[in-house]
Amino acid sequence: MLKKLKICFTKEFNFYFQSKMAYLLFFIYTAMTTSIMFYTSDFYSNTTANFYQFFKLQPGVMAMIIPAITMRLWADEYRNNTLEILLTQPVSYLVIVLGKFFAAWSIVGIMFVFSMGVWGATSFVVEMDSSWILINYALAMLMSGVLCAVSMLVASLCYNTLGAFLVALIVCIILISVSFGGWISSFIPENVFLMRLFTAFDLGRLYEDMILGQPNIAALLYFVLLICFAIWLSIIAVEYKRS
């Protein structure tokens, strides 16, 4: 299984560089991150030891970048009529979906590696907590994994790249920005239990709490389960499309 997974991953990963799409995405990410961080925040006057300003803006940036990364994962298969050929290979649906997911997630990882240059430059001016910054990078990767899995699920349901991008963009923005607890309280203000229950599933709030130094096992498990659930739904969607 690992050998087949490596083949599927390599095929999808190489496509990003063969089509020059990866380079464009790296440029867009770098431009967005630096412009937002340096020109719309108090980064210069309030740089913290845990690089909070940088990690705080990552969900918003990734909500716009990741749909562009995942939009072609399945749409190209539909457009080129290669989906049936792919699915008839001696490879399980799980391997195919995981290969596409890890390829997209790896592109995000490379973006974060490039962003470490800002961390390195800032460390000459401000004393940084390197261990906590590395933890925050891991948390940002986990959050991005959720958005990758969800965007891939959307892409598996769409037949064209533009539709996959727009729908995934909307879904990602909702996931990171909507307070489900506040939404429930506005409709059922007297039900405190439901409000607290839905607040516990706010992706954006949980992520921000963790990068502020409040990580907990329940939140980490929630992120991992979201990734697994979205991947499972993607497998079901692909099976349904083939049938």
Side-chain angles (χ1 to χ4, degrees), residues 36-48 51 53-54 118 122 126 128:
I36 293 173
M37 186 166 61
F38 289 112
Y39 298 109
T40 65
S41 70
D42 56 348
F43 180 79
Y44 288 109
S45 59
N46 192 31
T47 300
T48 56
F51 218 27
Q53 294 94 330
F54 171 79
V118 180
T122 308
V126 180
M128 311 294 284

Side-chain angles (χ1 to χ4, degrees), residues 15-167:
F15 178 85
Y16 286 106
F17 293 92
Q18 292 170 357
S19 64
K20 306 298 188 293
M21 182 180 180
Y23 304 107
L24 176 61
L25 291 172
F26 294 156
F27 172 77
I28 293 174
Y29 170 76
T30 303
M32 288 180 63
T33 301
T34 53
S35 61
I36 293 173
M37 186 166 61
F38 289 112
Y39 298 109
T40 65
S41 70
D42 56 348
F43 180 79
Y44 288 109
S45 59
N46 192 31
T47 300
T48 56
N50 61 359
F51 218 27
Y52 171 72
Q53 294 94 330
F54 171 79
F55 292 109
K56 181 182 179 180
L57 63 86
Q58 291 308 305
V61 173
M62 286 301 164
M64 292 180 278
I65 293 290
I66 288 177
I69 296 176
T70 60
M71 66 182 182
R72 50 145 298 274
L73 287 177
W74 295 104
D76 283 359
E77 307 287 358
Y78 298 137
R79 186 177 67 251
N80 299 326
N81 296 319
T82 57
L83 180 61
E84 189 65 27
I85 298 174
L86 177 65
L87 298 179
T88 53
Q89 299 300 310
V91 182
S92 66
Y93 293 142
L94 175 62
V95 170
I96 295 172
V97 171
L98 285 178
K100 290 178 178 291
F101 168 72
F102 284 123
W105 202 12
S106 297
I107 297 297
V108 176
I110 295 174
M111 290 180 181
F112 284 142
V113 171
F114 286 161
S115 71
M116 289 182 177
V118 180
W119 167 26
T122 308
S123 64
F124 286 104
V125 181
V126 180
E127 184 177 353
M128 311 294 284
D129 186 349
S130 299
S131 59
W132 188 248
I133 289 175
L134 289 174
I135 292 173
N136 279 352
Y137 265 113
L139 294 173
M141 272 297 293
L142 187 59
M143 177 275 302
S144 300
V146 174
L147 298 182
C148 276
V150 171
S151 296
M152 184 182 66
L153 170 60
V154 172
S156 68
L157 298 172
C158 298
Y159 287 96
N160 62 80
T161 54
L162 180 60
F165 172 77
L166 292 176
V167 176

